[in-house]
Amino acid sequence: MEKVDVLNRILKAEDTATILGGQSPASVINSGKYVPVTAKTQDNLRCLDDAIRTGLCGEIRTVVVVGPEGSGKTTALHKLVADWTKGECLQNFSHVFNFQFREMGFSAGELCLETLIQQGHYQIPPESMCLVAEKPDGVLFVFDGLDEYKHSLDPTVHTLTSDLNQPASVSCLLASLLDGALLKGAAFLVATRPTDNVKFLKGTQLEVLGFQKQQRQVYFNNFFTDHAAANKAFLHMERTLGFYDFCAAPKFCWTVCSIYKWLIDSGTKLPETLSQLFVHILVHLIQTLSLSKACSRGLVLALGRMASHCLHNQHSSCSKHAIDSFGFQQNLTSVDSFLRVQGEEEFSFHSQLIQEFVLAVAFFLDVSTYDDVEKMLDNHKGGAKFLDFFMSGLSEPAQYRLLEDLLGMFSSDQIKGFKSWFKSSSEKTLREYNKSEHYRCFHLLHQAQNETLVKEILTPPAHPRVSHENLRLQDCVALNYVITCLGKRETLGVSRTTVLRETMEVLAPSVSLLHTVILSNCSIYKESVPLLASAVSLGVTRELDLSHSNLGDEKLQILCAGLSKTELHRLNLNVCELTAACCGDLASVLTSETSQLRILQMMFNQIGDQGFTKLCEAMHSPNCKLEELEIPNCDLTAASMEAFAASLCSGESKLRRIDFKDNMIGDSGVQALCKALQQPLCKLQSLRLFGSGLTGACCSDLKDVFMSEHCSLSELDLSLNDLGQEGALLLCQGLKRPSCPIEILRLTRCELTPAVFEEVGSVLKNGTCQIKSLHLDINSVGDKGVKYLWDAVAHPSCLLEELNVEMTELTDACVEDLCAALRDNDTLKLLELRNNCLTDAAVPAIVQVMKEKVSMEELK
């Protein structure tokens, strides 16, 4: 067969284009506006056409193209063969044979390879067949629609043949060819939807992903002759539908473009949801058929019965006999718009989406068949993905009125029943914590497009604050709709989610309405950061949590540039892969004239002394309003403490709390701090030095701070430092000063002794001590040491409200003193006794005293 004949066969094929079936391959190729689709091979994304050509040049020259319906497989194959006939590609092949699996399924009996080729409409002369046999490496077989072939290609169930002239069944010939037994050296290109037969094919497998966003834009520009209309249609689709997987299918894009063009030409508003789109699709199809209202209603009800049958039994098609039982007799000439014929009188819907949509419409038209919402959904949940979406949309008058004009009245009982079910099931779902069910509820509300319904269902008692995890783009769309309907809210928590530019475009309106925005444990893309900053700046957001994200210095710089006029009060940057390079940008935010930032959290970032010094310089500015700074584990040392001390005494610093946990500040660093803490301009109230490499040598300087009349510290955490007995006793001397302001003191695991506990007990009883919270846990002093605390607790001058003596080696012997102290105390609210050597014998006495003391709130 000459190349020109092959080309004519492709280009002059019957144009089977329908609004649901997609544009025919011949039409696409003839128009000169072919847009290649994207394929995935291993971990790479490539143009499908290029990937096929590369695969056909490999050692095993078999390429298997796998993708869902309408993803562009058939058109790509036809375009490849057409380009071969024009001499534009694959010129190492002298013969290319193009087959449809569904046509080969009709072949009965046995035949040889030459006959099989002839039956494929290739009138190949004997001399050419000899050339095929002699040079099989110059032959390419193109097989399309493997999923429509009902016979197995498993080579183990066939007696494979290597003889070109030996008659065999078609399935045996195909298995022999694809396994390499017959015409060894030939190349094969196979296209299919996912099917079990794929596992019997060797070679390169390509996953067809369809159109990416840029390819969709090219497709829309090709479809619309008017550039403005193309841009309007494309942007609208991306905003309302582009987050659905099926938007990658060229066939679906053809449907959308066709409907959008019809709506734009008629001056009609474009649809806002998937349900609204399919309302317009059905309206267009019904109007095109020019049927009476009764016939249109009958057709849709018959389609609904067929859809129910297929979805319930999870069959993709129905036989002619089954079709007759659904009531199509009077509308057989009208079904082509909805159904396609495959195989021997097998009928199937052009897409599963229209299948589910007509079933949803039938539900509201036919109360006698579909009387119960929950039963309806349960019967079809195995095969339906969007049925409840469509039912939710169609339950609203604004969406079903167009259909009522053509099909007659929807059942008010069905609408009422659906809404009652939806409201009760949603309220139940939102009281629980199944996040996927929450998202499903949001999707249904989005399809309904009823703001009043959102406010009825998502009342605060029915919708506790939930951190939304692993959000897909379509989940973000539904969530954003719900939040914008509700108006200003307190908190949005999103975690473990990839935040692309598209994600932030969708969520930006919600972010602007929220006081607290949490994007923790997220993978944040650079392109999304300006949109986030803009949403925060334009809205009411006061707290932004980006902790445990991959933010990094570059993206933080972009964020800071957009936060110059924000009302942000708290910024959480814990574990964000930051270094000293970002601190200049943060300093710029802190010193801007409009800055409202009061709390900055930066735990586990390698900013070091260089970065921290930049933040200290910012605190000299009168514009800086920073009150709390948390920088645990940030590689700080004593080298930056002079700069910090200078900022505290500048007269401009508003810092009240600093957390240096797990930074090696050391005794020399604390010495620099203590000088500042004794200055009248220093107003620091909370200093946390947990695990800062301190020894008893620093306690003399801290004692001087306690003794200073200018000391403003009310909280000091020295936990996990080796202060020892000598150092701790020096602290106690300072604590005895009558006006010492310390109210919270943490000395967890500081190598304290019973002598220190005795002195602490003395401090608590002296009548001037202000300590309300005391942590002395993980110091092994036993009953003897802690007895000094029980004596203090019993003293009327003791103001303790919290006491932690976990892991101090207490035994049952302390219980009598403990209970006596609790009976005599009226201030203690929380007592921590965990991980001591108390036994069951201690429980009754402790329980009894807890019953007696109404002031005690918590005993651990």
Side-chain angles (χ1 to χ4, degrees):
M1 189 177 187
E2 297 294 332
K3 285 186 176 182
V4 65
D5 295 326
V6 175
L7 181 61
N8 286 335
R9 182 181 169 194
I10 291 172
L11 299 185
K12 293 184 179 180
E14 182 184 357
D15 188 353
T16 57
T18 66
I19 192 174
L20 293 173
Q23 193 175 11
S24 68
S27 175
V28 173
I29 297 169
N30 283 322
S31 70
K33 295 179 179 180
Y34 170 73
V35 180
V37 295
T38 298
K40 182 179 181 182
T41 169
Q42 295 180 340
D43 294 327
N44 298 320
L45 297 183
R46 297 186 61 186
C47 167
L48 176 61
D49 305 43
D50 294 341
I52 290 173
R53 291 167 189 164
T54 301
L56 291 174
C57 296
E59 186 176 342
I60 301 176
R61 298 190 306 164
T62 296
V63 177
V64 184
V65 177
V66 182
E69 63 167 319
S71 58
K73 304 181 296 298
T74 298
T75 302
L77 265 57
H78 283 215
K79 180 69 164 59
L80 196 75
V81 175
D83 289 346
W84 169 75
T85 65
K86 299 174 185 177
E88 296 175 4
C89 70
L90 303 177
Q91 294 307 291
N92 53 315
F93 295 110
S94 57
H95 294 85
V96 175
F97 301 120
N98 191 10
F99 292 90
Q100 297 290 326
F101 270 106
R102 65 172 175 268
E103 295 175 356
M104 290 189 290
F106 300 147
S107 299
E110 295 186 342
L111 63 165
C112 66
L113 180 61
E114 181 176 357
T115 306
L116 179 68
I117 293 173
Q118 298 286 0
Q119 284 189 356
H121 310 293
Y122 292 93
Q123 303 303 316
I124 184 168
E127 60 271 18
S128 293
M129 195 62 203
C130 291
L131 186 62
V132 167
E134 292 171 4
K135 296 183 177 180
D137 58 343
V139 178
L140 170 64
F141 287 91
V142 179
F143 294 118
D144 189 20
L146 174 60
D147 54 286
E148 296 184 76
Y149 192 66
K150 305 303 181 184
H151 307 286
S152 175
L153 297 180
D154 183 356
T156 64
V157 302
H158 295 285
T159 303
L160 301 183
T161 179
S162 59
D163 186 349
L164 274 67
N165 298 310
Q166 179 181 340
S169 67
V170 171
S171 58
C172 181
L173 287 178
L174 291 174
S176 300
L177 279 169
L178 292 166
D179 192 62
L182 181 62
L183 207 64
K184 186 174 183 179
F188 301 94
L189 173 58
V190 182
T192 179
R193 299 180 193 177
T195 179
D196 285 344
N197 264 330
V198 170
K199 64 186 177 186
F200 304 122
L201 305 181
K202 305 170 185 176
T204 301
Q205 184 166 315
L206 304 175
E207 179 187 354
V208 183
L209 303 179
F211 286 155
Q212 303 296 292
K213 184 175 181 178
Q214 289 182 338
Q215 293 163 316
R216 287 200 291 271
Q217 186 166 19
V218 173
Y219 185 90
F220 272 65
N221 286 334
N222 288 344
F223 185 95
F224 289 89
T225 54
D226 178 63
H227 178 72
N231 192 51
K232 175 183 178 180
F234 171 72
L235 292 177
H236 185 86
M237 175 182 167
E238 290 304 305
R239 179 177 66 81
T240 58
L241 301 171
F243 40 84
Y244 288 118
D245 293 340
F246 48 73
C247 288
K251 184 171 81 169
F252 184 77
C253 291
W254 165 264
T255 300
V256 172
C257 286
S258 301
I259 288 296
Y260 278 16
K261 185 177 187 305
W262 176 56
L263 295 174
I264 290 172
D265 290 347
S266 63
T268 305
K269 181 183 176 183
L270 297 180
E272 287 296 318
T273 65
L274 186 66
S275 298
Q276 290 180 11
L277 171 69
F278 273 83
V279 166
H280 287 300
I281 290 173
L282 186 54
V283 167
H284 178 77
L285 289 171
I286 296 295
Q287 288 180 346
T288 303
L289 293 172
S290 300
L291 301 175
S292 67
K293 185 177 290 188
C295 286
S296 297
R297 189 182 184 97
L299 173 62
V300 171
L301 289 174
L303 289 166
R305 286 188 282 272
M306 176 180 171
S308 178
H309 172 81
C310 291
L311 291 169
H312 178 68
N313 296 293
Q314 297 188 44
H315 293 158
S316 60
S317 61
C318 285
S319 65
K320 176 66 168 59
H321 174 73
I323 284 287
D324 291 340
S325 69
F326 298 137
F328 282 111
Q329 288 82 351
Q330 296 181 356
N331 296 290
L332 275 176
T333 57
S334 305
V335 299
D336 290 347
S337 299
F338 298 91
L339 307 178
R340 63 189 179 101
V341 181
Q342 59 183 75
E344 296 178 343
E345 293 193 324
E346 286 282 323
F347 292 82
S348 64
F349 283 90
H350 280 296
S351 76
Q352 183 164 335
L353 286 171
I354 192 63
Q355 182 178 6
E356 295 183 34
F357 183 74
V358 295
L359 177 55
V361 175
F363 170 82
F364 289 108
L365 291 177
D366 185 2
V367 67
S368 62
T369 304
Y370 315 101
D371 58 341
D372 181 81
V373 180
E374 196 158 357
K375 182 179 177 182
M376 163 86 158
L377 294 173
D378 284 344
N379 283 343
H380 302 93
K381 66 180 180 182
K385 295 180 181 178
F386 294 95
L387 181 57
D388 53 352
F389 278 44
F390 291 135
M391 291 172 71
S392 182
L394 290 169
S395 68
E396 293 298 323
Q399 299 190 46
Y400 66 68
R401 274 200 197 98
L402 284 174
L403 291 174
E404 280 192 325
D405 293 341
L406 297 172
L407 305 175
M409 297 296 290
F410 275 36
S411 167
S412 59
D413 289 339
Q414 293 291 80
I415 294 169
K416 183 179 178 181
F418 177 83
K419 288 193 169 183
S420 176
W421 167 84
F422 180 36
K423 188 172 181 182
S424 62
S425 64
S426 297
E427 289 172 348
K428 178 183 177 183
T429 294
L430 294 170
R431 283 194 296 268
E432 299 170 353
Y433 285 86
N434 186 326
K435 294 180 177 62
S436 63
E437 292 299 316
H438 279 222
Y439 306 157
R440 195 72 183 179
C441 173
F442 298 161
H443 281 293
L444 299 186
L445 288 168
H446 176 237
Q447 292 298 315
Q449 293 286 295
N450 185 331
E451 183 176 323
T452 303
L453 183 62
V454 174
K455 291 177 178 178
E456 285 178 6
I457 291 176
L458 282 107
T459 54
H463 184 221
R465 199 198 105 185
V466 176
S467 178
H468 305 286
E469 297 180 357
N470 302 309
L471 288 173
R472 302 165 299 169
L473 189 56
Q474 52 262 50
D475 298 326
C476 293
V477 171
L479 179 61
N480 178 71
Y481 172 75
V482 165
I483 291 174
T484 51
C485 285
L486 294 172
K488 293 181 181 179
R489 303 283 282 179
E490 285 302 316
T491 302
L492 168 66
V494 173
S495 63
R496 296 177 178 85
T497 294
T498 300
V499 184
L500 302 166
R501 176 183 177 83
E502 290 85 355
T503 312
M504 193 47 60
E505 283 177 340
V506 165
L507 288 177
S510 292
V511 169
S512 296
L513 293 170
L514 296 158
H515 294 290
T516 300
V517 176
I518 301 172
L519 297 174
S520 62
N521 287 285
C522 287
S523 178
I524 300 175
Y525 277 59
K526 178 180 175 181
E527 295 77 13
S528 68
V529 177
L531 297 172
L532 171 61
S534 175
V536 169
S537 297
L538 295 173
V540 299
T541 306
R542 296 293 181 270
E543 297 186 18
L544 177 61
D545 182 349
L546 301 174
S547 60
H548 298 270
S549 70
N550 63 335
L551 196 62
D553 295 331
E554 183 182 8
K555 283 177 274 190
L556 181 62
Q557 181 182 29
I558 298 170
L559 179 71
C560 289
L563 294 180
S564 58
K565 295 182 181 180
T566 180
E567 294 292 318
L568 207 61
H569 282 59
R570 180 193 292 265
L571 179 59
N572 187 335
L573 301 173
N574 291 337
V575 201
C576 281
E577 303 177 11
L578 304 176
T579 71
C582 77
C583 292
D585 301 302
L586 285 170
S588 296
V589 173
L590 291 169
T591 56
S592 71
E593 292 183 1
T594 57
S595 174
Q596 299 296 320
L597 197 60
R598 287 165 168 78
I599 302 172
L600 179 60
Q601 299 164 277
M602 298 191 67
M603 178 175 69
F604 278 99
N605 289 292
Q606 298 177 343
I607 66 170
D609 293 317
Q610 182 183 0
F612 181 52
T613 299
K614 292 179 183 177
L615 298 180
C616 294
E617 291 169 357
M619 284 184 259
H620 286 267
S621 169
N623 294 327
C624 180
K625 297 179 177 63
L626 195 64
E627 296 175 359
E628 297 183 26
L629 180 58
E630 297 180 18
I631 48 173
N633 219 308
C634 285
D635 295 344
L636 307 187
T637 70
S640 56
M641 291 304 106
E642 290 286 353
F644 180 57
S647 70
L648 292 177
C649 301
S650 66
E652 299 294 348
S653 174
K654 298 164 184 71
L655 198 69
R656 298 296 180 264
R657 299 167 60 87
I658 183 81
D659 188 348
F660 283 124
K661 179 181 179 180
D662 292 327
N663 287 291
M664 289 298 103
I665 304 299
D667 295 333
S668 60
V670 171
Q671 185 179 38
L673 285 179
C674 288
K675 292 177 181 177
L677 291 169
Q678 298 175 60
Q679 299 302 312
L681 293 177
C682 177
K683 303 300 181 185
L684 196 69
Q685 296 171 358
S686 174
L687 175 61
R688 297 181 180 179
L689 295 166
F690 183 107
S692 294
L694 309 182
T695 71
C698 74
C699 292
S700 176
D701 298 303
L702 288 167
K703 183 194 80 169
D704 291 342
V705 172
F706 295 162
M707 300 296 291
S708 169
E709 62 178 321
H710 300 300
C711 174
S712 58
L713 276 185
S714 60
E715 178 181 1
L716 179 63
D717 187 352
L718 297 171
S719 300
L720 220 68
N721 290 295
D722 294 334
L723 303 183
Q725 177 173 298
E726 184 178 350
L729 290 175
L730 285 172
L731 291 178
C732 290
Q733 291 180 26
L735 291 169
K736 288 181 178 180
R737 184 177 72 89
S739 56
C740 180
I742 296 293
E743 295 182 2
I744 302 172
L745 180 62
R746 294 185 177 92
L747 298 173
T748 301
R749 217 192 81 177
C750 285
E751 306 298 328
L752 306 185
T753 65
V756 174
F757 273 64
E758 181 180 9
E759 195 63 18
V760 170
S762 175
V763 170
L764 293 172
K765 295 187 294 184
N766 69 6
T768 63
C769 176
Q770 300 298 310
I771 296 176
K772 294 182 175 63
S773 178
L774 179 62
H775 292 244
L776 296 173
D777 44 312
I778 322 182
N779 288 290
S780 303
V781 297
D783 295 332
K784 181 181 178 181
V786 178
K787 186 179 187 306
Y788 298 111
L789 298 183
W790 302 143
D791 293 343
V793 168
H795 197 277
S797 297
C798 179
L799 301 179
L800 275 184
E801 295 177 3
E802 282 185 26
L803 176 60
N804 187 335
V805 287
E806 179 181 2
M807 291 182 68
T808 52
E809 299 187 359
L810 297 176
T811 71
D812 289 352
C814 78
V815 173
E816 184 177 348
D817 294 328
L818 163 61
C819 291
L822 292 179
R823 285 191 177 93
D824 290 338
N825 181 280
D826 292 323
T827 60
L828 200 65
K829 297 177 181 178
L830 185 150
L831 178 60
E832 173 68 85
L833 293 172
R834 285 183 300 177
N835 296 308
N836 282 295
C837 302
L838 299 170
T839 71
D840 292 349
V843 173
I846 295 175
V847 169
Q848 181 59 39
V849 78
M850 284 293 290
K851 288 180 178 179
E852 296 171 9
K853 297 301 296 183
V854 294
S855 58
M856 277 290 289
E857 296 175 358
E858 190 171 356
L859 172 70
K860 296 182 180 179

